[in-house]
């Protein structure tokens, strides 16, 4: 930390922040809603976005403040292990190309707004739907918190808010202001706000990464020197663990952890409610296909971004909180004006996904808790009003999460959410391709996976945390260290399969499937079909 306020960088940051704030409020008039009181309009942008807007929205799942701050920070702290984010964002695209078009078709056909809507319609189970909704909200909270951590890291490096001994309110006031602005324009404009701002966000991100990957290595003497200095730093013993700080290349004993973390994260990535919200906002099935085929462009840049962790070491960046490493690198390496641009990229990279996430969590509460269990006769206007209010409460919860939790291990926030959200995979993705799983078996598998994953993660300690210190633990029966979320998922599937056999043999009621085979491949028919409320269909399919 250089100390003091970086006035030029702060001014540039403020200009961009003001720009996106204005855009956020103007978005309410962009693609003016036919019925502003409809949840389809506020929560899904009228289901009208084309290929490029959908691509930018889905890109918010790849480039968030987590990407800019936590991934390079993990590499800065431990080396090659942090690169797991690169292969998992490669694995995810063939996966989502397979199931997202099917999900879009059936949700568009039946007017589903959330994954829990689909699960309820597919399996005829409010209990299973509630479990999916609860998990989505729970997993999204730490993910939103991670975006706020990214904003806070930028503000800390800018020198805004005072030092550690400053009154807590003054210190966190800039974050509170940023939070207030985010909450206000999200409440006003719904999904249209992050959709419009995403253009600015991704343009800035691409610009900063391209400049950083060329400019910083030149200043540091080239990649040979960068890798040499990083390798030397990783070989030094960490006093807290008595082992080397990290490794430039993943060691054989870490490869099982690396592989399971990459695979499990890929499977979890598009289970998050905000990913589905971005998907359902598109206007056609073909839009989803086209968007997913160009998504690898984001991963290309992600690999380059991850190298910033090595550059921070080579540049001699010294921070007690690893989340500050990359913002500090930008301040040390870039001219003040471009450091402001880089900080704006991180800050806006937090605002866009945070807005989508809070909207998605609010939609889950409104459709699958409020409407299903509290007010079944809620009108579209009432649904929209409740969703707006809940989106504010979700942000407040995330803010409390940030202000009370240890931010030095921010990456574990997202990894813990991944453990939880992965347990909805059998019901959602499995349900898109088969009706064989019994609804009660899916609920039992979900419960076992959630309990095991949470308890296993609680038992992981680190030098800075007694509990929830990581997301990897020994896999039962194998003896290798693997990603807890994937282990919990395997247990979940085993329980689901066994219970499905038992319940089917006992002829337990399976619930009514209100979807039909044609719903999952519908394109033109979906556009012309009337929007149906969840749980209704002109032709129920009992199979």
């Amino acid at each position: 930390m250089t100390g003091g306020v970086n006035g030029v960088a702060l001014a540039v940051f403020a200009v961009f922040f003001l720009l996106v704030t204005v855009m956020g409020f103007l978005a309410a008039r962009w693609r003016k809603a036919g019925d502003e009181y409809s949840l389809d309009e506020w929560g899904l942008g009228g289901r009208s976005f084309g290929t490029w807007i959908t691509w930018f929205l889905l890109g918010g799942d790849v480039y968030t403040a987590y990407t800019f701050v936590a991934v390079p920070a993990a590499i800065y702290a431990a080396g090659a292990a942090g690169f797991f984010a690169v292969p998992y964002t490669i694995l995810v695209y063939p996966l989502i190309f397979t199931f997202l078009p099917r999900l879009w078709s059936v949700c568009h056909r039946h007017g589903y707004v959330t994954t829990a809507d689909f699960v309820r319609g597919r399996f005829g189970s409010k209990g299973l739907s509630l479990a999916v909704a609860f998990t989505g909200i729970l997993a999204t909270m730490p993910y939103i918190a991670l975006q706020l951590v990214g904003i806070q890291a930028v503000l800390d490096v800018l020198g805004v808010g005072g030092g550690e001994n400053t009154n807590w309110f003054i210190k966190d006031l800039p974050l509170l202001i940023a939070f207030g602005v985010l909450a206000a324009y999200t409440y006003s404009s719904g999904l249209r706000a992050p959709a419009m701002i995403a253009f600015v966000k991704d343009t800035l991100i691409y610009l900063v990464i391209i400049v950083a990957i060329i400019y910083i290595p030149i200043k540091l003497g080239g990649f040979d020197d960068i890798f040499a200095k990083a390798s030397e730093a990783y070989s030094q013993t960490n006093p807290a663990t008595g082992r080397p700080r990290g490794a430039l290349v993943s060691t054989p004993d870490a490869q099982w952890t690396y592989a399971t973390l990459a695979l499990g994260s890929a499977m979890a990535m598009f289970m998050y409610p905000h990913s589905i919200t971005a998907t359902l906002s598109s206007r056609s099935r073909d839009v989803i296909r086209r968007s997913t085929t160009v998504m690898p462009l984001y991963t290309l840049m992600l690999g380059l971004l991850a190298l910033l962790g090595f550059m921070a070491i080579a540049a001699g960046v010294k921070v007690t909180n690893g989340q500050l490493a990359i913002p500090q690198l930008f301040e040390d390496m870039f001219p003040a004006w471009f450091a402001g641009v880089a900080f704006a990229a991180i800050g806006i990279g937090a605002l866009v996904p945070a807005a989508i996430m809070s909207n998605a969590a609010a939609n889950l509460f409104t459709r699958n808790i409020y409407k299903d269990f509290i007010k079944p006769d809620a009108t579209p206007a009432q649904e929209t009003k409740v969703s707006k209010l809940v989106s504010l409460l979700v942000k407040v919860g995330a803010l409390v999460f940030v202000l009370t939790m240890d931010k030095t291990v921010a990456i574990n926030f997202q990894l813990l959410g991944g453990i939880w959200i992965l347990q909805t995979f059998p019901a959602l993705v499995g349900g898109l391709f088969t009706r064989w799983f019994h609804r009660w078996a899916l609920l039992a598998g979900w419960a076992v996976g959630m309990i095991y994953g949470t308890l296993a993660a609680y038992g992981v300690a680190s030098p800075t945390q007694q509990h929830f210190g990581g997301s990897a633990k020994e896999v039962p029966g194998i003896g290798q260290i693997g990603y807890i979320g994937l282990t919990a998922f395997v247990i979940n599937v085993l329980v689901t399969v066994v219970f499905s056999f038992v319940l089917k043999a006992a002829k337990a009621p399976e619930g009514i499937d209100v979807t039909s085979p044609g719903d999952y491949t519908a394109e033109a028919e979906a556009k012309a079909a009337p929007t149906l409320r969840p749980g209704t269909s002109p032709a129920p399919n009992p199979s």
Side-chain angles (χ1 to χ4, degrees):
M1 302 288 290
T2 58
V5 177
N6 187 331
V8 175
L10 178 60
V12 174
F13 175 84
V15 167
F16 278 105
F17 192 86
L18 180 61
L19 171 65
V20 299
T21 299
V22 173
M23 291 177 65
F25 285 108
L26 290 178
R29 301 183 179 182
W30 176 49
R31 294 171 174 261
K32 187 66 176 177
D35 180 6
E36 61 182 307
Y37 299 109
S38 165
L39 195 57
D40 270 10
E41 294 291 348
W42 183 85
L44 295 179
R47 302 181 190 253
S48 62
F49 296 149
T51 302
W52 285 111
I53 300 176
T54 302
W55 183 65
F56 280 119
L57 278 176
L58 291 175
D61 300 316
V62 179
Y63 281 113
T64 67
Y66 158 71
T67 314
F68 244 118
V69 174
V71 170
I75 293 168
Y76 170 83
F83 274 96
F84 80 92
V86 178
Y88 97 65
T89 54
I90 296 172
L91 291 170
V92 74
Y93 300 130
L95 181 65
I96 62 176
F97 187 85
T98 301
F99 78 83
L100 283 188
R102 292 179 66 84
L103 180 64
W104 180 90
S105 290
V106 67
C107 289
H108 196 80
R109 198 72 178 278
H110 289 267
Y112 297 148
V113 175
T114 68
T115 52
D117 280 349
F118 163 71
V119 168
R120 178 190 169 188
R122 178 63 155 161
F123 296 100
S125 172
K126 282 188 178 181
L128 184 59
S129 171
L130 177 63
V132 171
F134 168 78
T135 307
I137 296 170
L138 180 67
T140 299
M141 293 293 286
Y143 216 159
I144 299 175
L146 194 57
Q147 310 315 311
L148 300 182
V149 167
I151 297 176
Q152 192 171 52
V154 167
L155 296 174
D156 283 350
V157 173
L158 282 169
V160 178
E164 291 296 327
N165 295 324
T166 307
N167 175 275
W168 73 269
F169 179 77
I170 299 299
K171 175 175 171 51
D172 293 319
L173 182 60
L175 179 63
L176 295 173
I177 294 173
F179 161 80
V181 170
L182 167 66
Y185 69 62
T186 305
Y187 183 92
S188 170
S189 304
L191 191 65
R192 286 176 170 80
M196 179 178 283
I197 297 170
F199 290 99
V200 177
K201 161 190 169 281
D202 285 354
T203 300
L204 285 177
I205 285 175
Y206 268 86
L207 174 65
V208 170
I209 295 177
I210 291 171
V211 171
I213 207 68
I214 297 172
Y215 180 79
I216 296 178
I218 292 174
K219 290 197 68 175
L220 294 176
F223 278 104
D224 284 348
D225 285 349
I226 290 172
F227 290 137
K229 290 177 180 177
S231 181
E232 180 182 352
Y234 291 136
S235 66
Q236 296 175 3
T237 301
N238 183 340
T241 62
R243 289 185 263 179
R245 169 180 168 180
L248 191 65
V249 179
S250 183
T251 57
D253 61 344
Q255 289 175 2
W256 185 273
T257 304
Y258 186 91
T260 55
L261 185 55
L263 177 59
S265 298
M267 294 171 64
M269 186 175 179
F270 275 80
M271 295 298 100
Y272 281 99
H274 58 281
S275 301
I276 303 304
T277 294
T279 299
L280 299 185
S281 69
S282 61
R283 65 169 174 249
S284 76
R285 180 184 173 96
D286 284 340
V287 164
I288 300 300
R289 292 197 193 97
R290 289 193 293 265
S291 298
T292 53
T293 56
V294 292
M295 284 293 287
L297 290 174
Y298 280 109
T299 302
L300 172 64
M301 301 301 287
L302 179 59
L304 300 177
L305 175 62
L307 293 175
L308 294 176
F310 294 145
M311 296 180 199
I313 294 175
V317 171
K318 302 292 183 184
V319 291
T320 55
N321 179 356
Q323 313 310 317
L324 302 179
I326 303 311
Q328 189 63 53
L329 173 69
F330 289 159
E331 182 172 61
D332 293 347
M333 293 287 105
F334 288 144
W337 69 270
F338 195 77
V341 174
F343 294 153
I346 299 175
I348 298 170
L351 293 177
V352 170
I356 304 173
M357 291 169 190
S358 59
N359 282 19
N363 291 343
L364 280 169
F365 176 86
T366 301
R367 292 297 287 262
N368 309 113
I369 297 177
Y370 176 75
K371 184 172 178 61
D372 277 353
F373 295 96
I374 299 174
K375 191 173 177 60
D377 60 345
T379 65
Q382 289 172 327
E383 287 182 17
T384 304
K385 181 178 180 180
V386 169
S387 211
K388 286 183 174 183
L389 293 174
V390 173
S391 74
L392 297 179
L393 294 177
V394 168
K395 294 184 187 72
V396 171
L399 185 64
V400 172
F401 201 99
V402 170
L403 297 179
T404 58
M405 295 292 287
D406 179 5
K407 293 177 283 294
T408 63
V409 287
I411 194 170
N412 288 331
F413 291 171
Q414 190 268 345
L415 294 175
L416 182 60
I419 293 172
W420 292 328
I421 201 66
L422 188 52
Q423 307 318 309
T424 64
F425 192 99
L428 176 58
V429 179
L432 285 169
F433 294 94
T434 179
R435 185 60 165 72
W436 184 82
F437 297 124
H438 195 282
R439 54 180 177 167
W440 296 345
L442 285 166
L443 191 57
W446 167 85
V448 172
M450 288 288 288
I451 293 170
Y452 171 83
T454 304
L455 292 178
Y458 179 82
V460 177
S462 74
T464 58
Q465 282 183 278
Q466 185 177 359
H467 302 291
F468 299 115
S471 60
K473 195 171 185 177
E474 183 174 315
V475 180
I478 295 179
Q480 297 284 347
I481 303 298
Y483 178 41
I484 293 170
L486 192 59
T487 305
F489 167 77
V490 172
I491 295 172
N492 179 345
V493 171
L494 290 174
V495 170
T496 299
V497 170
V498 171
F499 273 55
S500 291
F501 273 116
V502 172
L503 291 168
K504 285 176 177 294
K507 300 189 182 301
E510 295 193 26
I512 295 177
D513 177 8
V514 302
T515 69
S516 61
D519 294 342
Y520 296 87
T521 56
E523 174 64 75
E525 297 93 339
K527 296 175 183 176
T531 299
L532 303 175
R533 302 298 298 166
T536 66
S537 173
N541 177 15
S543 63

